[in-house]
Amino acid sequence: MKFQLICLLVAAAFGGLSAAELDFEFASSFDQSRQQAAGYAPDQIRKDEKLPLLAIAHPMWGDRFAARRLGYYEEGARRRWLIVCPQLHGRHTPGPFSCSALEAQHDMIDAINWMKERYPVDESRIYVAGRSMGGGLTQMMLAKYPDLFAAGVAGQGISDYGELCSLHSGVTAKVLEELGPRPANEFEYRRRSATSYAPNFRYVPLILWHGTNDHVVPPEQSLMLEQAIRRYHPLQEGVHWKMAASHHEMNFDATWICDRLAPYENLGAAFMQTPRRFFPSLHLITDEAKSFFYLHLTPARPDAFGEVQTGLKDGVLTVRATNLSQVEIDCNGFSPRLPVRQIRFSAATPDDAELVIRRGTEELARRRAPAEVALP
């Protein structure tokens, strides 16, 4: 009954009536559990109108109403943005201590998809933001979904869980509850740390902020991530420092954060003739089977990262896989101005790696590494 009433509220907002505060449930795509989210929709939405969507990752000890408490609903009303904030859930602990778990990552995507199914979301202006534990999850969302988001702002974020615990931070006990002891769970620490995915940040704008007097999440956490990204992307923007500021939620408020996000759009260049950003070369790391741009990657092992590097030159796409059991390539994802005539596939583990080439749902070829395939 509650879910039906909420859907009616959403329909009323879409039909051009009053603004709506949302409180809804959805099924987790990760484990099929019932999860909750809250959000905001502006009033008088026209059927031909496209609205930016901002997803908020709540901090430790937070919940789905964090976006409302922090002033994002007011910003949504002023800017005509949609706002959504899922109640995260973790692997071993409740959502307030989920620590960038895969479950929490899927909560963010599921809540975004729920909004997209019911509201006219501008696909080129989907943003993510959060602070503290939510800042760490914001970093992870950008790293794992660089083709989805226009940009993200991560404040006071936990970018390396192993390093944080070695410093005996004030949140170490909660991290240990969710991630377990080291070294037995070392990969769990690495897979939830944005520093492990540094190459992925070349493809999406990340804006970092931190207080220099933060004793809960030390400022070095943001600095480490910035430096790690710059090894692959020298143009990464520096951390926005608030001098002498502690671990306080209002160091940079909702207005400041939305101002940083607003200029960004996930649009392709007219020359490339692609609706979204397109990169001829990619270097990506993943801890789960998922899609990136024109690729779908499946790691060969559950306890190790999969990695792919691609390069397109003179019509030849070279693809090198490391610890991937399968690399799928969708030819529909290529730019019409940079056609691919041949694919050369190699792998560090050739006995395990398989290349699948398709065009949409049509499979064109399937080969084991090493392989060279001419495209029709």
Side-chain angles (χ1 to χ4, degrees):
M1 183 65 177
K2 177 184 176 184
F3 186 74
Q4 291 175 333
L5 288 173
I6 290 165
C7 287
L8 288 172
L9 181 60
V10 172
F14 184 84
L17 300 178
S18 61
E21 287 193 20
L22 313 175
D23 189 11
F24 61 89
E25 291 185 351
F26 60 89
S28 167
S29 59
F30 185 81
D31 57 17
Q32 290 71 59
S33 61
R34 298 301 299 179
Q35 299 301 323
Q36 296 176 295
Y40 171 83
D43 61 4
Q44 302 296 322
I45 300 175
R46 302 185 308 273
K47 290 187 177 181
D48 61 345
E49 188 175 12
K50 294 293 185 180
L51 302 179
L53 171 61
L54 171 57
I56 298 296
H58 68 68
M60 197 171 284
W61 287 280
D63 58 28
R64 66 188 185 278
F65 300 112
R68 182 175 64 189
R69 289 193 297 269
L70 293 171
Y72 287 101
Y73 288 12
E74 289 87 342
E75 287 299 315
R78 186 165 69 87
R79 298 169 187 266
R80 296 193 62 74
W81 287 13
L82 298 161
I83 309 294
V84 69
C85 182
Q87 188 127 349
L88 306 172
H89 76 296
R91 181 69 50 88
H92 302 295
T93 61
F97 316 108
S98 50
C99 298
S100 295
L102 282 173
E103 290 85 345
Q105 296 171 31
H106 283 262
D107 289 339
M108 296 291 288
I109 294 300
D110 292 339
I112 289 170
N113 287 338
W114 194 95
M115 296 292 286
K116 287 168 63 177
E117 289 168 4
R118 293 160 175 82
Y119 285 94
V121 173
D122 183 346
E123 299 270 0
S124 71
R125 299 188 69 193
I126 299 176
Y127 306 114
V128 61
R131 57 168 289 274
S132 194
M133 184 188 78
L137 181 55
T138 294
Q139 297 164 6
M140 288 295 300
M141 298 309 298
L142 294 174
K144 298 280 293 285
Y145 299 88
D147 46 349
L148 171 66
F149 293 104
V153 175
Q156 307 163 322
I158 304 171
S159 64
D160 190 315
Y161 275 94
E163 182 67 21
L164 183 76
C165 287
S166 70
L167 297 174
H168 302 288
S169 160
V171 298
T172 298
K174 291 300 182 183
V175 173
L176 288 172
E177 284 183 36
E178 170 62 21
L179 276 74
R182 300 170 73 194
N185 298 285
E186 189 62 33
F187 182 64
E188 202 61 34
Y189 283 78
R190 293 174 57 213
R191 77 186 308 175
R192 302 191 193 202
S193 299
T195 51
S196 299
Y197 305 84
N200 300 24
F201 287 98
R202 180 183 175 188
Y203 313 108
V204 60
L206 167 64
I207 301 159
L208 297 164
W209 67 265
H210 219 117
T212 62
N213 195 34
D214 190 336
H215 298 289
V216 178
V217 179
E220 287 78 11
Q221 287 280 310
S222 289
L223 185 60
M224 277 193 306
L225 181 57
E226 176 200 329
Q227 292 174 340
I229 295 171
R230 283 189 173 176
R231 287 196 286 271
Y232 301 93
H233 184 41
L235 300 180
Q236 167 62 35
E237 182 180 354
V239 180
H240 293 264
W241 298 109
K242 189 160 189 179
M243 303 307 296
S246 63
H247 194 77
H248 192 279
E249 63 187 19
M250 298 305 289
N251 280 340
F252 289 107
D253 63 14
T255 299
W256 185 92
I257 290 163
C258 292
D259 283 346
R260 304 284 84 71
L261 292 169
Y264 287 100
E265 295 180 89
N266 182 3
L267 294 174
F271 169 79
M272 290 292 186
Q273 298 180 12
T274 55
R276 302 288 175 257
R277 295 168 182 145
F278 176 80
F279 300 90
S281 300
L282 296 170
H283 182 184
L284 296 163
I285 293 173
T286 186
D287 65 329
E288 64 172 328
K290 68 177 304 297
S291 298
F292 298 85
F293 300 101
Y294 55 82
L295 301 169
H296 185 86
L297 309 178
T298 304
R301 293 167 46 196
D303 60 347
F305 293 108
E307 183 174 1
V308 69
Q309 292 178 272
T310 74
L312 177 58
K313 185 177 180 180
D314 298 330
V316 178
L317 181 73
T318 58
V319 182
R320 179 168 177 79
T322 302
N323 191 39
L324 291 170
S325 63
Q326 190 176 84
V327 176
E328 293 184 46
I329 297 177
D330 185 357
C331 296
N332 286 346
F334 298 141
S335 166
R337 298 301 299 268
L338 295 173
V340 176
R341 298 187 299 274
Q342 184 180 40
I343 297 176
R344 295 175 181 169
F345 180 55
S346 63
T349 52
D351 293 338
D352 297 325
E354 180 182 53
L355 172 69
V356 177
I357 305 171
R358 56 187 176 82
R359 182 172 284 113
T361 58
E362 178 190 5
E363 184 174 312
L364 303 180
R366 186 181 290 259
R367 302 284 190 277
R368 289 284 178 181
E372 290 193 16
V373 181
L375 297 183

